[in-house]
Amino acid sequence: LLSCRLYCEEAKDPKRRSCQTVLAEALDIVVRSFAPILPHLAEEVFQYIPYKKDSEGVFRTGWINASSAWKKPGIEEAIEGACAMRDSFLGSISGKNALEYEVIIVIEPGLLFELMEALQAEETSSVSQLNEIMMASQTTLLSELPKETPSDANIIKGTFLINLEGGDICEQSSYKVIARPLAKAKCPRCRRYTAESSSTPCPRCLQVLAAGKGST
C-alpha cells in the first residue's frame, strides 16, 4: 500500500501526499512516546526529521498532541471491514500472488456497502483505497453477484460486525468474495496486471509519466 502510493503516484498527487502526512504524524507520535525511556535516541531522531522547523528538541515541544481530525467517524470500521475481506481473498488464493487477481466483493445494500463505497466510489478500480487494501490488481464492488459468475466459482462468504457511535449503531453484514485471475499483462512500472503488454506501462502509469514530463 505504502510503496505503491509513494513510488508509483505523481510527486504531488493527493494520494502520495496524504501517505507522507500519515507517515510524518506516525513518526512524531512514536518518537514522543518513547522519549521518556529512550531520551537520547528520541532526541537524535527528532533532530534529523527534515521537515521540522523548530530546533528546541523533543522535550521542549510538548507531549503527544494528535489532531481530532484523524478520528473520522466510520473510517476505522471501514478499514477493519476491508481487512476482513482481504483476509478472505488471500485465504482463497492460498499463497499465490495477489496481484495476478481481480477481487470481486459482493455486499447487499446497507451500512457495510456504504463504508466500502467510501473507499472506492467506482464499481471497478485498480487505484482506489479499497484495492490498495485488498492488495490485488483490480477490485470490483457490487451489490449482487454478477450474472456471468460460473456455477463452480469459489465464493468465500463472511460476516462483519459494524459498531458505531459507541454501540448506538450496530449492524452485522454479510459479504461474498470471489478471486478471478486477470488476463492482462504485468505493468513493468507498478507490477500490477493491468497493462496491455509486458513492455508497456499500464494506463495509470502512462498518465503519471506523462504528467511528470510535462512538469519538467
Side-chain angles (χ1 to χ4, degrees):
L1 173 58
L2 294 180
S3 61
C4 185
R5 285 197 174 195
L6 290 174
Y7 302 118
C8 294
E9 299 292 352
E10 188 182 353
K12 295 182 180 180
D13 188 282
K15 291 181 181 179
R16 183 176 185 274
R17 297 293 290 147
S18 65
C19 182
Q20 291 177 308
T21 299
V22 170
L23 290 174
E25 184 75 7
L27 177 62
D28 185 84
I29 291 175
V30 168
V31 171
R32 294 181 192 278
S33 297
F34 67 66
I37 55 174
L38 295 170
H40 298 293
L41 176 60
E43 188 62 41
E44 184 175 5
V45 172
F46 197 80
Q47 292 301 327
Y48 276 93
I49 295 177
Y51 48 82
K52 287 290 182 184
K53 295 183 179 180
D54 54 69
S55 58
E56 293 185 352
V58 67
F59 293 100
R60 293 180 179 272
T61 53
W63 184 235
I64 298 170
N65 185 26
S67 170
S68 59
W70 294 102
K71 296 182 179 181
K72 186 177 179 180
I75 192 64
E76 182 177 351
E77 288 73 17
I79 299 299
E80 289 179 352
C83 288
M85 296 172 201
R86 179 190 62 195
D87 292 344
S88 297
F89 161 58
L90 295 178
S92 71
I93 61 175
S94 185
K96 296 178 182 177
N97 184 3
L99 289 174
E100 295 179 3
Y101 290 84
E102 172 191 15
V103 56
I104 301 172
I105 300 173
V106 182
I107 310 171
E108 292 184 359
L111 185 54
L112 182 58
F113 188 86
E114 292 175 6
L115 290 175
M116 293 306 104
E117 277 191 316
L119 300 176
Q120 178 170 303
E122 309 88 351
E123 182 176 285
T124 299
S125 177
S126 61
V127 297
S128 68
Q129 294 181 72
L130 181 58
N131 187 66
E132 290 175 342
I133 294 171
M134 299 306 293
M135 300 167 60
S137 279
Q138 186 170 286
T139 296
T140 297
L141 178 63
L142 301 171
S143 58
E144 58 183 15
L145 280 173
K147 295 180 180 179
E148 66 273 14
T149 302
S151 58
D152 59 346
N154 184 20
I155 302 176
I156 307 299
K157 299 179 180 180
T159 59
F160 182 73
L161 179 63
I162 301 170
N163 197 330
L164 295 171
E165 304 293 338
D168 291 339
I169 301 176
C170 191
E171 181 179 302
Q172 181 151 323
S173 301
S174 60
Y175 62 84
K176 299 181 181 72
V177 172
I178 305 171
R180 185 163 64 185
L182 286 166
K184 291 192 175 183
K186 181 169 69 174
C187 172
R189 184 174 181 271
C190 70
R191 306 300 181 185
R192 287 177 174 165
Y193 286 73
T194 52
E196 296 302 324
S197 72
S198 58
S199 60
T200 305
C202 66
R204 188 278 298 267
C205 286
L206 286 173
Q207 184 178 358
V208 172
L209 292 170
K213 290 180 181 178
S215 61
T216 57

Short mmCIF file of all heavy atoms in Angstrom, two decimals, residues 76-132:
data_model
loop_
_atom_site.label_atom_id
_atom_site.label_comp_id
_atom_site.label_asym_id
_atom_site.label_seq_id
_atom_site.Cartn_x
_atom_site.Cartn_y
_atom_site.Cartn_z
N GLU A 76 -12.45 3.81 10.82
CA GLU A 76 -11.84 2.64 11.44
C GLU A 76 -12.61 1.37 11.07
O GLU A 76 -12.02 0.34 10.72
CB GLU A 76 -11.80 2.80 12.96
CG GLU A 76 -11.13 1.64 13.68
CD GLU A 76 -11.04 1.85 15.18
OE1 GLU A 76 -11.35 2.97 15.65
OE2 GLU A 76 -10.66 0.89 15.88
N GLU A 77 -13.95 1.47 11.12
CA GLU A 77 -14.77 0.31 10.76
C GLU A 77 -14.62 -0.04 9.29
O GLU A 77 -14.62 -1.22 8.91
CB GLU A 77 -16.24 0.59 11.09
CG GLU A 77 -16.58 0.59 12.57
CD GLU A 77 -16.05 1.82 13.30
OE1 GLU A 77 -15.71 2.82 12.62
OE2 GLU A 77 -15.97 1.78 14.53
N ALA A 78 -14.49 0.97 8.44
CA ALA A 78 -14.32 0.72 7.00
C ALA A 78 -13.02 -0.03 6.74
O ALA A 78 -12.99 -1.00 5.96
CB ALA A 78 -14.34 2.04 6.23
N ILE A 79 -11.94 0.40 7.38
CA ILE A 79 -10.65 -0.26 7.18
C ILE A 79 -10.68 -1.68 7.74
O ILE A 79 -10.18 -2.63 7.11
CB ILE A 79 -9.53 0.55 7.85
CG1 ILE A 79 -9.43 1.95 7.23
CG2 ILE A 79 -8.19 -0.18 7.71
CD1 ILE A 79 -9.13 1.97 5.76
N GLU A 80 -11.26 -1.85 8.93
CA GLU A 80 -11.33 -3.19 9.52
C GLU A 80 -12.17 -4.13 8.67
O GLU A 80 -11.84 -5.30 8.50
CB GLU A 80 -11.90 -3.10 10.94
CG GLU A 80 -10.95 -2.47 11.94
CD GLU A 80 -11.55 -2.39 13.33
OE1 GLU A 80 -12.76 -2.67 13.48
OE2 GLU A 80 -10.81 -2.05 14.28
N GLY A 81 -13.28 -3.61 8.13
CA GLY A 81 -14.12 -4.42 7.25
C GLY A 81 -13.38 -4.82 5.99
O GLY A 81 -13.44 -5.98 5.55
N ALA A 82 -12.65 -3.86 5.39
CA ALA A 82 -11.88 -4.16 4.18
C ALA A 82 -10.78 -5.18 4.47
O ALA A 82 -10.52 -6.07 3.65
CB ALA A 82 -11.28 -2.87 3.63
N CYS A 83 -10.16 -5.08 5.64
CA CYS A 83 -9.10 -6.03 6.00
C CYS A 83 -9.67 -7.44 6.19
O CYS A 83 -9.02 -8.43 5.85
CB CYS A 83 -8.39 -5.57 7.27
SG CYS A 83 -7.31 -4.13 7.02
N ALA A 84 -10.88 -7.52 6.75
CA ALA A 84 -11.53 -8.83 6.90
C ALA A 84 -11.78 -9.46 5.54
O ALA A 84 -11.56 -10.67 5.33
CB ALA A 84 -12.83 -8.68 7.68
N MET A 85 -12.22 -8.66 4.58
CA MET A 85 -12.46 -9.17 3.23
C MET A 85 -11.14 -9.52 2.54
O MET A 85 -11.06 -10.49 1.79
CB MET A 85 -13.22 -8.13 2.41
CG MET A 85 -14.61 -7.84 2.95
SD MET A 85 -15.40 -6.46 2.11
CE MET A 85 -16.62 -5.99 3.32
N ARG A 86 -10.10 -8.75 2.82
CA ARG A 86 -8.78 -9.07 2.26
C ARG A 86 -8.30 -10.42 2.77
O ARG A 86 -7.74 -11.22 2.02
CB ARG A 86 -7.77 -7.98 2.62
CG ARG A 86 -6.36 -8.26 2.08
CD ARG A 86 -5.36 -7.30 2.67
NE ARG A 86 -5.28 -7.46 4.12
CZ ARG A 86 -4.70 -6.57 4.92
NH1 ARG A 86 -4.19 -5.46 4.42
NH2 ARG A 86 -4.64 -6.78 6.22
N ASP A 87 -8.50 -10.68 4.06
CA ASP A 87 -8.10 -11.98 4.61
C ASP A 87 -8.84 -13.12 3.91
O ASP A 87 -8.25 -14.18 3.64
CB ASP A 87 -8.36 -12.01 6.12
CG ASP A 87 -7.45 -11.06 6.89
OD1 ASP A 87 -6.43 -10.63 6.31
OD2 ASP A 87 -7.76 -10.75 8.05
N SER A 88 -10.13 -12.91 3.63
CA SER A 88 -10.90 -13.93 2.91
C SER A 88 -10.35 -14.13 1.51
O SER A 88 -10.21 -15.26 1.03
CB SER A 88 -12.37 -13.52 2.84
OG SER A 88 -12.95 -13.42 4.13
N PHE A 89 -10.01 -13.02 0.84
CA PHE A 89 -9.45 -13.08 -0.51
C PHE A 89 -8.11 -13.80 -0.53
O PHE A 89 -7.90 -14.74 -1.32
CB PHE A 89 -9.32 -11.66 -1.06
CG PHE A 89 -8.38 -11.52 -2.22
CD1 PHE A 89 -8.58 -12.24 -3.39
CD2 PHE A 89 -7.30 -10.65 -2.15
CE1 PHE A 89 -7.71 -12.11 -4.47
CE2 PHE A 89 -6.43 -10.51 -3.22
CZ PHE A 89 -6.64 -11.25 -4.38
N LEU A 90 -7.19 -13.40 0.35
CA LEU A 90 -5.87 -14.02 0.37
C LEU A 90 -5.94 -15.49 0.75
O LEU A 90 -5.18 -16.32 0.24
CB LEU A 90 -4.96 -13.26 1.34
CG LEU A 90 -4.63 -11.80 0.96
CD1 LEU A 90 -3.77 -11.16 2.03
CD2 LEU A 90 -3.95 -11.74 -0.40
N GLY A 91 -6.87 -15.82 1.65
CA GLY A 91 -7.04 -17.22 2.02
C GLY A 91 -7.55 -18.06 0.87
O GLY A 91 -7.22 -19.25 0.76
N SER A 92 -8.32 -17.46 -0.02
CA SER A 92 -8.90 -18.22 -1.14
C SER A 92 -7.89 -18.52 -2.24
O SER A 92 -8.10 -19.42 -3.04
CB SER A 92 -10.09 -17.45 -1.73
OG SER A 92 -9.64 -16.30 -2.44
N ILE A 93 -6.78 -17.74 -2.29
CA ILE A 93 -5.79 -17.99 -3.35
C ILE A 93 -4.57 -18.74 -2.81
O ILE A 93 -3.63 -19.00 -3.55
CB ILE A 93 -5.35 -16.67 -4.03
CG1 ILE A 93 -4.70 -15.72 -3.02
CG2 ILE A 93 -6.54 -16.01 -4.71
CD1 ILE A 93 -4.16 -14.45 -3.65
N SER A 94 -4.57 -19.05 -1.55
CA SER A 94 -3.60 -19.96 -0.93
C SER A 94 -2.14 -19.66 -1.29
O SER A 94 -1.44 -20.46 -1.91
CB SER A 94 -3.93 -21.40 -1.34
OG SER A 94 -3.09 -22.33 -0.68
N GLY A 95 -1.67 -18.47 -0.90
CA GLY A 95 -0.26 -18.13 -1.05
C GLY A 95 0.16 -17.70 -2.44
O GLY A 95 1.34 -17.44 -2.67
N LYS A 96 -0.76 -17.60 -3.39
CA LYS A 96 -0.42 -17.16 -4.73
C LYS A 96 -0.27 -15.64 -4.75
O LYS A 96 -0.65 -14.95 -3.81
CB LYS A 96 -1.50 -17.61 -5.72
CG LYS A 96 -1.61 -19.13 -5.86
CD LYS A 96 -2.72 -19.51 -6.81
CE LYS A 96 -2.86 -21.02 -6.92
NZ LYS A 96 -3.98 -21.43 -7.79
N ASN A 97 0.27 -15.13 -5.83
CA ASN A 97 0.49 -13.70 -5.98
C ASN A 97 -0.85 -12.97 -6.13
O ASN A 97 -1.55 -13.14 -7.13
CB ASN A 97 1.38 -13.42 -7.19
CG ASN A 97 1.71 -11.95 -7.35
OD1 ASN A 97 1.33 -11.11 -6.53
ND2 ASN A 97 2.42 -11.62 -8.41
N ALA A 98 -1.20 -12.15 -5.12
CA ALA A 98 -2.49 -11.46 -5.14
C ALA A 98 -2.63 -10.51 -6.32
O ALA A 98 -3.74 -10.25 -6.79
CB ALA A 98 -2.69 -10.70 -3.83
N LEU A 99 -1.50 -10.01 -6.83
CA LEU A 99 -1.54 -9.07 -7.94
C LEU A 99 -1.97 -9.72 -9.25
O LEU A 99 -2.28 -9.03 -10.21
CB LEU A 99 -0.18 -8.39 -8.12
CG LEU A 99 0.22 -7.39 -7.03
CD1 LEU A 99 1.64 -6.92 -7.24
CD2 LEU A 99 -0.75 -6.21 -7.00
N GLU A 100 -1.99 -11.03 -9.30
CA GLU A 100 -2.43 -11.72 -10.51
C GLU A 100 -3.94 -11.85 -10.57
O GLU A 100 -4.47 -12.44 -11.52
CB GLU A 100 -1.79 -13.11 -10.56
CG GLU A 100 -0.27 -13.09 -10.70
CD GLU A 100 0.33 -14.48 -10.73
OE1 GLU A 100 -0.45 -15.46 -10.71
OE2 GLU A 100 1.57 -14.59 -10.78
N TYR A 101 -4.64 -11.28 -9.58
CA TYR A 101 -6.08 -11.48 -9.48
C TYR A 101 -6.86 -10.17 -9.43
O TYR A 101 -6.35 -9.12 -9.01
CB TYR A 101 -6.42 -12.27 -8.21
CG TYR A 101 -5.98 -13.71 -8.27
CD1 TYR A 101 -4.69 -14.06 -7.93
CD2 TYR A 101 -6.86 -14.72 -8.66
CE1 TYR A 101 -4.27 -15.39 -7.98
CE2 TYR A 101 -6.46 -16.04 -8.70
CZ TYR A 101 -5.16 -16.37 -8.36
OH TYR A 101 -4.76 -17.69 -8.41
N GLU A 102 -8.10 -10.29 -9.86
CA GLU A 102 -9.13 -9.28 -9.57
C GLU A 102 -9.96 -9.85 -8.44
O GLU A 102 -10.32 -11.03 -8.46
CB GLU A 102 -10.02 -9.03 -10.78
CG GLU A 102 -11.21 -8.13 -10.46
CD GLU A 102 -12.25 -8.08 -11.56
OE1 GLU A 102 -12.20 -8.94 -12.47
OE2 GLU A 102 -13.12 -7.18 -11.53
N VAL A 103 -10.27 -9.03 -7.44
CA VAL A 103 -11.13 -9.49 -6.36
C VAL A 103 -12.50 -8.83 -6.52
O VAL A 103 -12.60 -7.62 -6.71
CB VAL A 103 -10.53 -9.20 -4.97
CG1 VAL A 103 -10.21 -7.73 -4.80
CG2 VAL A 103 -11.47 -9.66 -3.87
N ILE A 104 -13.54 -9.66 -6.50
CA ILE A 104 -14.91 -9.18 -6.60
C ILE A 104 -15.55 -9.27 -5.22
O ILE A 104 -15.58 -10.35 -4.62
CB ILE A 104 -15.71 -10.00 -7.62
CG1 ILE A 104 -15.06 -9.92 -9.00
CG2 ILE A 104 -17.16 -9.52 -7.69
CD1 ILE A 104 -15.67 -10.85 -10.02
N ILE A 105 -16.02 -8.15 -4.72
CA ILE A 105 -16.65 -8.09 -3.40
C ILE A 105 -18.13 -7.82 -3.60
O ILE A 105 -18.51 -6.84 -4.26
CB ILE A 105 -16.02 -6.99 -2.54
CG1 ILE A 105 -14.52 -7.25 -2.33
CG2 ILE A 105 -16.73 -6.89 -1.18
CD1 ILE A 105 -13.80 -6.11 -1.64
N VAL A 106 -18.96 -8.67 -3.03
CA VAL A 106 -20.41 -8.52 -3.16
C VAL A 106 -21.01 -8.30 -1.77
O VAL A 106 -20.85 -9.13 -0.88
CB VAL A 106 -21.04 -9.77 -3.81
CG1 VAL A 106 -22.55 -9.57 -3.97
CG2 VAL A 106 -20.39 -10.06 -5.16
N ILE A 107 -21.67 -7.15 -1.60
CA ILE A 107 -22.29 -6.80 -0.32
C ILE A 107 -23.69 -6.27 -0.60
O ILE A 107 -23.87 -5.41 -1.47
CB ILE A 107 -21.49 -5.70 0.43
CG1 ILE A 107 -20.01 -6.07 0.51
CG2 ILE A 107 -22.06 -5.47 1.82
CD1 ILE A 107 -19.13 -4.95 1.03
N GLU A 108 -24.65 -6.76 0.11
CA GLU A 108 -26.01 -6.26 -0.05
C GLU A 108 -26.07 -4.80 0.40
O GLU A 108 -25.33 -4.39 1.28
CB GLU A 108 -27.00 -7.11 0.75
CG GLU A 108 -27.16 -8.52 0.23
CD GLU A 108 -28.22 -9.29 1.00
OE1 GLU A 108 -28.80 -8.72 1.94
OE2 GLU A 108 -28.47 -10.46 0.64
N PRO A 109 -26.95 -3.99 -0.23
CA PRO A 109 -27.05 -2.58 0.17
C PRO A 109 -27.28 -2.44 1.67
O PRO A 109 -28.11 -3.12 2.26
CB PRO A 109 -28.27 -2.10 -0.63
CG PRO A 109 -28.32 -2.99 -1.82
CD PRO A 109 -27.86 -4.34 -1.34
N GLY A 110 -26.50 -1.54 2.28
CA GLY A 110 -26.58 -1.34 3.72
C GLY A 110 -25.37 -0.56 4.20
O GLY A 110 -24.63 0.02 3.40
N LEU A 111 -25.15 -0.57 5.49
CA LEU A 111 -24.09 0.24 6.08
C LEU A 111 -22.71 -0.23 5.64
O LEU A 111 -21.84 0.59 5.34
CB LEU A 111 -24.20 0.21 7.61
CG LEU A 111 -23.24 1.11 8.39
CD1 LEU A 111 -23.33 2.55 7.91
CD2 LEU A 111 -23.53 1.02 9.89
N LEU A 112 -22.47 -1.53 5.60
CA LEU A 112 -21.16 -2.04 5.18
C LEU A 112 -20.85 -1.66 3.74
O LEU A 112 -19.74 -1.27 3.42
CB LEU A 112 -21.11 -3.56 5.35
CG LEU A 112 -19.76 -4.22 5.01
CD1 LEU A 112 -18.63 -3.64 5.86
CD2 LEU A 112 -19.84 -5.73 5.19
N PHE A 113 -21.83 -1.74 2.88
CA PHE A 113 -21.64 -1.35 1.48
C PHE A 113 -21.29 0.14 1.39
O PHE A 113 -20.40 0.53 0.62
CB PHE A 113 -22.89 -1.65 0.67
CG PHE A 113 -22.72 -1.45 -0.82
CD1 PHE A 113 -22.22 -2.48 -1.61
CD2 PHE A 113 -23.03 -0.24 -1.42
CE1 PHE A 113 -22.04 -2.30 -2.98
CE2 PHE A 113 -22.85 -0.05 -2.78
CZ PHE A 113 -22.36 -1.09 -3.58
N GLU A 114 -21.96 0.96 2.18
CA GLU A 114 -21.68 2.40 2.17
C GLU A 114 -20.26 2.68 2.66
O GLU A 114 -19.58 3.57 2.13
CB GLU A 114 -22.70 3.12 3.05
CG GLU A 114 -24.12 3.10 2.48
CD GLU A 114 -25.13 3.72 3.42
OE1 GLU A 114 -24.71 4.26 4.47
OE2 GLU A 114 -26.34 3.66 3.13
N LEU A 115 -19.81 1.93 3.66
CA LEU A 115 -18.45 2.12 4.16
C LEU A 115 -17.43 1.75 3.09
O LEU A 115 -16.40 2.42 2.93
CB LEU A 115 -18.22 1.28 5.42
CG LEU A 115 -18.95 1.73 6.68
CD1 LEU A 115 -18.73 0.74 7.81
CD2 LEU A 115 -18.51 3.13 7.12
N MET A 116 -17.70 0.68 2.34
CA MET A 116 -16.78 0.28 1.28
C MET A 116 -16.81 1.28 0.13
O MET A 116 -15.79 1.53 -0.52
CB MET A 116 -17.13 -1.12 0.76
CG MET A 116 -16.90 -2.23 1.77
SD MET A 116 -15.23 -2.30 2.45
CE MET A 116 -15.51 -1.61 4.10
N GLU A 117 -17.97 1.87 -0.13
CA GLU A 117 -18.06 2.90 -1.17
C GLU A 117 -17.22 4.12 -0.82
O GLU A 117 -16.74 4.83 -1.72
CB GLU A 117 -19.52 3.32 -1.37
CG GLU A 117 -20.32 2.40 -2.27
CD GLU A 117 -21.66 3.00 -2.64
OE1 GLU A 117 -22.34 3.54 -1.73
OE2 GLU A 117 -22.05 2.94 -3.82
N ALA A 118 -17.04 4.37 0.48
CA ALA A 118 -16.18 5.48 0.90
C ALA A 118 -14.73 5.22 0.52
O ALA A 118 -13.95 6.15 0.35
CB ALA A 118 -16.31 5.71 2.40
N LEU A 119 -14.38 3.94 0.36
CA LEU A 119 -13.02 3.57 -0.03
C LEU A 119 -12.88 3.37 -1.53
O LEU A 119 -11.76 3.36 -2.05
CB LEU A 119 -12.60 2.28 0.70
CG LEU A 119 -12.59 2.32 2.23
CD1 LEU A 119 -12.24 0.95 2.79
CD2 LEU A 119 -11.61 3.37 2.74
N GLN A 120 -14.01 3.17 -2.21
CA GLN A 120 -13.99 3.01 -3.67
C GLN A 120 -15.32 3.49 -4.24
O GLN A 120 -16.33 2.80 -4.14
CB GLN A 120 -13.74 1.55 -4.04
CG GLN A 120 -13.76 1.31 -5.55
CD GLN A 120 -13.27 -0.07 -5.95
OE1 GLN A 120 -12.16 -0.45 -5.62
NE2 GLN A 120 -14.10 -0.82 -6.65
N ALA A 121 -15.29 4.66 -4.84
CA ALA A 121 -16.52 5.23 -5.40
C ALA A 121 -16.93 4.55 -6.70
O ALA A 121 -18.11 4.42 -6.99
CB ALA A 121 -16.35 6.73 -5.62
N GLU A 122 -15.93 4.10 -7.48
CA GLU A 122 -16.21 3.45 -8.75
C GLU A 122 -16.56 1.98 -8.52
O GLU A 122 -16.16 1.38 -7.53
CB GLU A 122 -15.01 3.54 -9.69
CG GLU A 122 -14.44 4.93 -9.87
CD GLU A 122 -13.39 5.26 -8.82
OE1 GLU A 122 -13.24 4.47 -7.87
OE2 GLU A 122 -12.74 6.31 -8.96
N GLU A 123 -17.29 1.41 -9.47
CA GLU A 123 -17.61 -0.02 -9.36
C GLU A 123 -16.36 -0.87 -9.46
O GLU A 123 -16.17 -1.82 -8.69
CB GLU A 123 -18.61 -0.41 -10.45
CG GLU A 123 -19.05 -1.87 -10.38
CD GLU A 123 -20.10 -2.22 -11.42
OE1 GLU A 123 -21.27 -1.82 -11.23
OE2 GLU A 123 -19.74 -2.87 -12.42
N THR A 124 -15.49 -0.54 -10.40
CA THR A 124 -14.23 -1.27 -10.59
C THR A 124 -13.07 -0.29 -10.61
O THR A 124 -13.14 0.75 -11.27
CB THR A 124 -14.25 -2.07 -11.91
OG1 THR A 124 -15.32 -3.02 -11.87
CG2 THR A 124 -12.94 -2.82 -12.11
N SER A 125 -12.00 -0.62 -9.88
CA SER A 125 -10.86 0.28 -9.83
C SER A 125 -9.57 -0.49 -9.54
O SER A 125 -9.59 -1.52 -8.85
CB SER A 125 -11.07 1.34 -8.74
OG SER A 125 -9.94 2.19 -8.64
N SER A 126 -8.48 0.02 -10.07
CA SER A 126 -7.16 -0.53 -9.75
C SER A 126 -6.34 0.45 -8.92
O SER A 126 -5.20 0.15 -8.55
CB SER A 126 -6.40 -0.85 -11.05
OG SER A 126 -6.20 0.33 -11.82
N VAL A 127 -6.91 1.61 -8.61
CA VAL A 127 -6.17 2.65 -7.88
C VAL A 127 -6.90 3.14 -6.63
O VAL A 127 -6.42 4.05 -5.96
CB VAL A 127 -5.86 3.85 -8.80
CG1 VAL A 127 -4.97 3.43 -9.95
CG2 VAL A 127 -7.14 4.48 -9.33
N SER A 128 -8.02 2.56 -6.29
CA SER A 128 -8.79 3.01 -5.13
C SER A 128 -8.12 2.59 -3.83
O SER A 128 -7.25 1.71 -3.79
CB SER A 128 -10.21 2.44 -5.17
OG SER A 128 -10.17 1.03 -4.97
N GLN A 129 -8.56 3.20 -2.73
CA GLN A 129 -8.07 2.81 -1.41
C GLN A 129 -8.45 1.37 -1.10
O GLN A 129 -7.68 0.62 -0.50
CB GLN A 129 -8.64 3.74 -0.34
CG GLN A 129 -8.17 5.18 -0.45
CD GLN A 129 -8.74 6.05 0.64
OE1 GLN A 129 -8.37 5.94 1.80
NE2 GLN A 129 -9.67 6.92 0.28
N LEU A 130 -9.66 0.98 -1.51
CA LEU A 130 -10.11 -0.39 -1.27
C LEU A 130 -9.21 -1.38 -1.99
O LEU A 130 -8.81 -2.41 -1.42
CB LEU A 130 -11.56 -0.55 -1.73
CG LEU A 130 -12.18 -1.94 -1.53
CD1 LEU A 130 -12.15 -2.36 -0.07
CD2 LEU A 130 -13.61 -1.97 -2.07
N ASN A 131 -8.86 -1.09 -3.23
CA ASN A 131 -7.99 -2.01 -3.98
C ASN A 131 -6.60 -2.07 -3.37
O ASN A 131 -5.97 -3.13 -3.35
CB ASN A 131 -7.89 -1.57 -5.45
CG ASN A 131 -7.13 -2.59 -6.28
OD1 ASN A 131 -7.58 -3.70 -6.48
ND2 ASN A 131 -5.96 -2.20 -6.75
N GLU A 132 -6.10 -0.97 -2.88
CA GLU A 132 -4.80 -0.97 -2.23
C GLU A 132 -4.81 -1.85 -0.99
O GLU A 132 -3.85 -2.58 -0.72
CB GLU A 132 -4.40 0.47 -1.87
CG GLU A 132 -4.06 1.33 -3.07
CD GLU A 132 -3.79 2.77 -2.72
OE1 GLU A 132 -4.18 3.18 -1.61
OE2 GLU A 132 -3.20 3.47 -3.53
#
